[in-house]
Amino acid sequence: MRRVAAAAASVLCVAALALGGLAPAASAASESTLIVQGASFKSNFNPWTSYVEGDKYINTNIYPSLTYLDENQKPAPYLADSWSTSSDGLTWTFKIHTGLKWSDGQPLTAKDAAWTYNLLMTNKTAATSNGALVTQFDKVTAPDDATLVIQTKVPVADMLFTNAAGGSQPGIPIVPQHIWESKVNDLAADSNLTIPVVGYGPWTLTDYKANQYATLTANKDFFLGGPKYDKLIYQQYNTPDAAVAALRSGQLNVAGMTPAQRTALQGDPNITTYSVLGSLFLSIEVNRGAKTKSGKAIGTGNPLLADPAIRDAINFGIDRDTLVKKVLDGGGVASAAFLPPQYIDNWQPADKDKVTFDPAKANQLLDDAGYKKAADGYRVDAKTGKQLAFRLGTHSDSAQDAQVADYFVPWMKDIGIKITLEPMSFSLLNENLAKGDWDMLFDRWGTGPNPTYLLSTQTCATLPDEDGKNGNTDSFFCNPEFDKLYALQSTQVDAGARMQTIQQMVNILYTSGNNLILFYANGLSGVTTNQTKNYMIGTVNSDGNYPPQNAFLNWRSAEPVATADDSSTNVWLIVGIIVVVVVVVGGAGTVLIRRKRSSTDVKE
């Protein structure tokens, strides 16, 4: 029998792994703290280069934008109180809210906004994350502290959207010139972690521990209305089970979950679960040849994937309806389209281009291309003698990746393709993506009502430079016709004409075989409604789904539920590890010990 001391030590280790690092307790007993399960961080809150969801959620709450997306997904005044356009549509004049100050007390003016945009327009590193949004800008000036003038080369159809905070892809953050002008020569090396981070928004970043938590302190004087909570902790968990266990115990207020976990929580009187209409896709990226902007080949991708017959066969070998039914428990939409159905619901490819589950067609495509099956059932390239064997990178902290892979691997075997899974941390997988060191990998992207940013990740301009830097590509896709359409849609102020152009772009992506979209999953989450109210925004539709949520609004609208003893608000932060130890000993820990897959399914 194990000694009691050894068992206790083991339990403590499991508890620590499950929590992923507890954030410190609030300094004052009277402070209220909202604790939200965090998406993966890239350990980088640099507003010029960060692009993953966790970083953007933080940045959109600590830096201002000209506008923000309201609960109806429409642009509303933020840093800009109002705006007007010239008759030719080439000049936008924004009246900037006066009397605001950065968190260090320095004035926030239109000059900060002009400096931000000009750096985006002239500095490659500064343009890493959002440069594609200003390609049509010609000149940006601040004639006075309350006026910002943006002159464009052509009319820009989505000016108010691309500058809007909130949503899946937040707009361009305005930064303090007096902080960043001394850092211009080495922007890429700055993770922006001098705490507290100087910004202006509803929150200030006041503490951070890599891959564990970020602590935000409320700006109660925020001019659009300060948060109702005093602090917010964006807490990462190493497994979905650990996050849901923390939600059950009350040490976490908001958590994402799987369909099975949602079902298990239905009877809990302290937790309300919600379904949010999905705008985030899960895809399998295919590396058909990673290149730099100049066309230089990079990376270790398998050159066989350059053959469209192989990419098409893989696509026809995927049963998307089964994935929605089995992995999502019906909570989502099977789709191979690059944009979510609620934003482009009238698009359908031509019949000849439609992708359906058809393993017979997949096998025929490979037979016709000359890839014959060997005795072991896997196909071989006649020219090189190499097996059709590809690596598939998965997020090691994603239970959903593992579930989908369980179906994908045997489907590929059925058509003679061997798949080797390569689980990687979030950071490593994204590093490999940027370097082209992969064959295929799981990827997630989301968009709001304006798809410009997401579409920009497929343009040639986002390929890296010769040194592998300054790139924001999604799958090394580069198509001149797509780029022409991308430039055109950004100028089309007529919504109908713009949608037709975007549909053409989506069709190019649909038939390229670079980005195999699997589904759009409804977002499932739980809130401890005995502790927190008014977290969700918008109105539920007839199917019981909320509209896409917005951290810029969620985190401000959430309110603590008054209790008889408000001093106990943060007790779970103090004793959290004790709770997890009890959970582990009590039985749920058996599950936590045995499961190796983990955490939140996000992009990234």
Side-chain angles (χ1 to χ4, degrees):
M1 294 180 62
R2 295 179 181 175
R3 295 179 182 178
V4 173
S10 175
V11 167
L12 285 171
C13 288
V14 172
L17 288 170
L19 284 168
L22 281 172
S27 57
S30 60
E31 286 185 330
S32 57
T33 302
L34 176 68
I35 313 170
V36 178
Q37 181 187 5
S40 297
F41 297 126
K42 194 173 179 288
S43 300
N44 177 9
F45 298 106
N46 182 326
W48 312 102
T49 63
S50 62
Y51 58 87
V52 301
E53 188 176 54
D55 299 343
K56 281 186 172 286
Y57 278 1
I58 301 297
N59 281 341
T60 199
N61 277 284
I62 66 175
Y63 290 113
S65 296
L66 293 181
T67 59
Y68 77 92
L69 291 184
D70 64 18
E71 67 177 43
N72 297 314
Q73 302 279 299
K74 302 295 184 184
Y78 183 1
L79 196 57
D81 287 330
S82 61
W83 47 84
S84 60
T85 57
S86 59
S87 58
D88 61 5
L90 297 179
T91 301
W92 289 73
T93 302
F94 295 89
K95 301 307 293 184
I96 303 301
H97 196 85
T98 58
L100 301 180
K101 293 183 179 181
W102 296 105
S103 55
D104 63 355
Q106 294 296 310
L108 192 172
T109 72
K111 290 181 173 59
D112 291 295
W115 185 84
T116 298
Y117 286 111
N118 279 296
L119 194 65
L120 274 175
M121 294 161 60
T122 59
N123 184 294
K124 286 185 178 181
T125 302
T128 299
S129 181
N130 293 309
L133 303 181
V134 298
T135 55
Q136 302 296 355
F137 286 20
D138 184 44
K139 186 179 180 181
V140 181
T141 58
D144 58 62
D145 287 353
T147 307
L148 179 73
V149 179
I150 300 178
Q151 295 172 275
T152 60
K153 303 169 187 175
V154 293
V156 174
D158 54 359
M159 177 70 77
L160 300 180
F161 280 100
T162 58
N163 288 285
S168 298
Q169 294 296 339
I172 297 169
I174 307 300
V175 305
Q177 177 182 353
H178 69 281
I179 295 295
W180 284 96
E181 60 186 348
S182 64
K183 304 179 179 183
V184 169
N185 292 332
D186 199 13
L187 280 177
D190 197 313
S191 294
N192 197 27
L193 285 172
T194 300
I195 301 295
V197 172
V198 177
Y200 181 81
W203 303 89
T204 300
L205 180 61
T206 53
D207 193 14
Y208 171 74
K209 190 164 184 179
N211 299 313
Q212 293 188 19
Y213 63 84
T215 301
L216 305 177
T217 298
N219 175 7
K220 294 292 188 178
D221 296 323
F222 184 59
F223 80 103
L224 292 177
K228 311 301 188 301
Y229 276 91
D230 299 311
K231 287 194 174 181
L232 182 145
I233 294 175
Y234 200 56
Q235 176 80 48
Q236 281 191 260
Y237 287 80
N238 289 339
T239 72
D241 292 326
V244 171
L247 189 73
R248 281 184 180 277
S249 68
Q251 71 185 43
L252 181 63
N253 299 121
V254 183
M257 60 190 60
T258 66
Q261 288 169 331
R262 186 192 189 199
T263 299
L265 287 170
Q266 292 293 345
D268 193 314
N270 297 322
I271 297 172
T272 302
T273 60
Y274 301 92
S275 176
V276 176
L277 198 62
S279 61
L280 186 80
F281 65 62
L282 175 65
S283 70
I284 295 177
E285 307 288 355
V286 179
N287 182 359
R288 65 177 185 180
K291 296 180 180 179
T292 64
K293 286 186 177 74
S294 68
K296 175 186 173 183
I298 60 174
T300 60
N302 191 321
L304 289 175
L305 289 170
D307 187 344
I310 293 178
R311 300 197 304 275
D312 288 346
I314 292 171
N315 215 357
F316 281 107
I318 300 171
D319 187 349
R320 291 166 170 81
D321 290 330
T322 290
L323 292 178
V324 169
K325 181 179 180 180
K326 298 295 186 179
V327 176
L328 304 182
D329 197 26
V333 177
S335 176
F338 192 72
L339 295 178
Q342 67 262 41
Y343 298 133
I344 191 167
D345 57 5
N346 61 339
W347 175 82
Q348 284 293 325
D351 287 342
K352 67 181 181 61
D353 295 329
K354 284 185 179 178
V355 175
T356 57
F357 179 51
D358 193 341
K361 183 171 183 177
N363 275 299
Q364 189 62 54
L365 284 169
L366 294 172
D367 286 341
D368 292 346
Y371 300 109
K372 302 304 181 183
K373 286 187 177 180
D376 60 2
Y378 293 113
R379 295 179 182 274
V380 175
D381 175 31
K383 296 178 182 178
T384 64
K386 292 184 177 180
Q387 191 178 59
L388 267 61
F390 307 114
R391 301 165 292 172
L392 175 62
T394 70
H395 294 86
S396 58
D397 61 350
S398 170
Q400 191 179 86
D401 279 15
Q403 288 177 288
V404 173
D406 284 344
Y407 289 95
F408 181 72
V409 172
W411 286 338
M412 292 300 100
K413 184 177 181 180
D414 288 344
I415 63 174
I417 294 177
K418 185 176 183 179
I419 300 296
T420 300
L421 300 181
E422 291 190 343
M424 289 175 264
S425 68
F426 171 83
S427 296
L428 180 58
L429 188 144
N430 280 279
E431 288 172 8
N432 283 354
L433 189 157
K435 295 184 294 186
D437 288 339
W438 50 283
D439 297 333
M440 295 187 287
L441 52 79
F442 282 118
D443 199 15
R444 291 169 177 79
W445 277 99
T447 186
N450 177 57
T452 294
Y453 185 91
L454 185 57
L455 291 170
S456 77
T457 65
Q458 303 299 311
T459 61
C460 301
T462 60
L463 296 177
D465 294 333
E466 288 301 284
D467 58 4
K469 298 179 180 179
N470 301 323
N472 191 32
T473 184
D474 178 55
S475 60
F476 292 92
F477 183 76
C478 178
N479 181 303
E481 179 61 25
F482 183 90
D483 282 12
K484 290 179 183 178
L485 294 170
Y486 177 79
L488 174 62
Q489 62 83 30
S490 69
T491 70
Q492 293 176 298
V493 293
D494 179 270
R498 185 178 181 225
M499 179 58 73
Q500 290 180 10
T501 301
I502 290 174
Q503 288 169 345
Q504 294 178 60
M505 298 170 68
V506 172
N507 192 64
I508 289 173
L509 297 175
Y510 187 91
T511 56
S512 73
N514 254 59
N515 202 317
L516 310 181
I517 310 299
L518 304 180
F519 53 66
Y520 289 87
N522 291 342
L524 302 179
S525 61
V527 178
T528 52
T529 41
N530 65 323
Q531 298 180 22
T532 302
K533 62 180 181 180
N534 297 334
Y535 185 85
M536 304 297 289
I537 58 172
T539 303
V540 179
N541 67 12
S542 58
D543 294 324
N545 295 315
Y546 274 83
Q549 297 296 291
N550 178 335
F552 183 72
L553 297 180
N554 292 127
W555 294 358
R556 279 197 297 136
S557 66
E559 296 183 56
V561 173
T563 63
D565 181 10
D566 285 334
S567 65
S568 65
T569 304
N570 294 291
V571 67
W572 292 114
L573 285 177
I574 301 170
V575 301
I577 195 165
I578 298 174
V579 172
V580 174
V581 170
V582 171
V583 170
V584 172
V585 173
T590 305
V591 178
L592 290 174
I593 291 169
R594 290 178 181 172
R595 294 189 180 182
K596 296 181 180 179
R597 300 163 186 161
S598 58
S599 182
T600 310
D601 296 326
V602 297
K603 161 78 190 170
E604 307 144 0

